[in-house]
Amino acid sequence: MDQPRIPPSRPRSRRPGRRLPGRRLAALTALGLSLVLAGCTGADTTTSGAAAAAGGGTGAASVRGPLCDALPAGTEPGNPASLAGKPPAEALQWLPVLTTFEAAVRAAGLTAELSGKTILAPTDDAFAAHFSEDNLDELFIEDKDKLRGLLREHLVAGSLSLSDLVAAGEVTTLAGTKIRVTGGGTTARLADRADTVCADYRATDARIHIINRVLGNLPVTAGTGHKSH
């Protein structure tokens, strides 16, 4: 049996990852926010990655986008088919490019709020390009209300596939922001700002779409070297 693992500080893909600052990890530990070690991952032989991105997968394994072939596939723990029966908060733990987003959900106490939602999850690189380390520490430790508001900018009611999002043309986040959706095929453009890079992960009563930019109105502080007030 494969046991859930703590995602590595660097993604398993060829894209560079980032390590959560020690202060943030210490704060999460102090709050008792440990990863859930539950369940066994079956040896599913459904393929994903490049084949699914090209339309070769079916059902739960039909993830689509340019980043898919760098993420767990085949019988690897975290492959798309193996996540289909997991609660969305647990499914996020298996995606190695979402360590910051997953930790933010736990820090904000929003794990239960993911059920019945479409999750637009920015990659670690997207968070690093938007926020300075100090700014992220502030959100995780001192300004939980602002963190919850940020995360709700990435949640949409209902479990919507990539095709559903494109067909709708516009969706409203839990924060009340309207997001225009354009494109089609293997990717979609959100709010003329972010793109899906691996879409259509299924979890229990939820969809996860990995995106390459942070949404919402919080200012860009990456590279400032100090906190934003």
Side-chain angles (χ1 to χ4, degrees):
M1 292 191 299
D2 295 319
Q3 292 294 331
R5 54 192 179 135
I6 298 175
S9 58
R10 290 186 176 273
R12 297 175 64 258
S13 69
R14 295 182 294 274
R15 299 165 66 88
R18 60 188 299 277
R19 184 181 300 276
L20 294 179
R23 288 180 60 219
R24 205 173 315 141
L25 288 174
L28 292 177
T29 301
L31 289 171
L33 297 170
S34 58
L35 293 176
V36 178
L37 299 176
C40 299
T41 301
D44 193 291
T45 58
T46 307
T47 59
S48 62
T58 59
S62 297
V63 292
R64 297 183 283 174
L67 188 61
C68 295
D69 62 356
L71 295 174
T75 60
E76 295 178 311
N79 73 77
S82 72
L83 302 185
K86 297 184 183 298
E90 185 179 345
L92 289 173
Q93 297 172 12
W94 293 88
L95 296 172
V97 294
L98 298 182
T99 59
T100 305
F101 183 81
E102 189 272 331
V105 168
R106 290 185 290 121
L110 291 184
T111 55
E113 200 164 322
L114 301 182
S115 181
K117 304 297 188 300
T118 300
I119 303 164
L120 308 173
T123 64
D124 294 339
D125 287 347
F127 273 97
H130 196 100
F131 298 106
S132 69
E133 295 283 0
D134 284 345
N135 194 185
L136 272 180
D137 280 346
E138 186 177 66
L139 289 171
F140 271 66
I141 300 169
E142 301 172 10
D143 205 338
K144 299 293 183 68
D145 287 341
K146 189 178 289 186
L147 180 62
R148 281 187 281 271
L150 172 68
L151 293 174
R152 287 179 177 131
E153 295 281 7
H154 297 82
L155 301 178
V156 175
S159 177
L160 303 177
S161 68
L162 184 67
S163 297
D164 291 335
L165 291 173
V166 173
E170 182 179 87
V171 293
T172 303
T173 70
L174 296 193
T177 303
K178 294 187 181 298
I179 296 179
R180 181 169 175 257
V181 184
T182 58
T186 61
T187 64
R189 183 80 168 164
L190 306 174
D192 292 322
R193 178 173 176 179
D195 299 292
T196 61
V197 289
C198 191
D200 278 335
Y201 278 97
R202 295 188 187 185
T204 303
D205 196 25
R207 289 275 183 146
I208 301 170
H209 306 298
I210 301 174
I211 64 176
N212 63 355
R213 295 287 186 276
V214 173
L215 302 174
N217 297 320
L218 292 185
V220 175
T221 58
T224 61
H226 58 79
K227 294 179 180 179
S228 174
H229 296 283

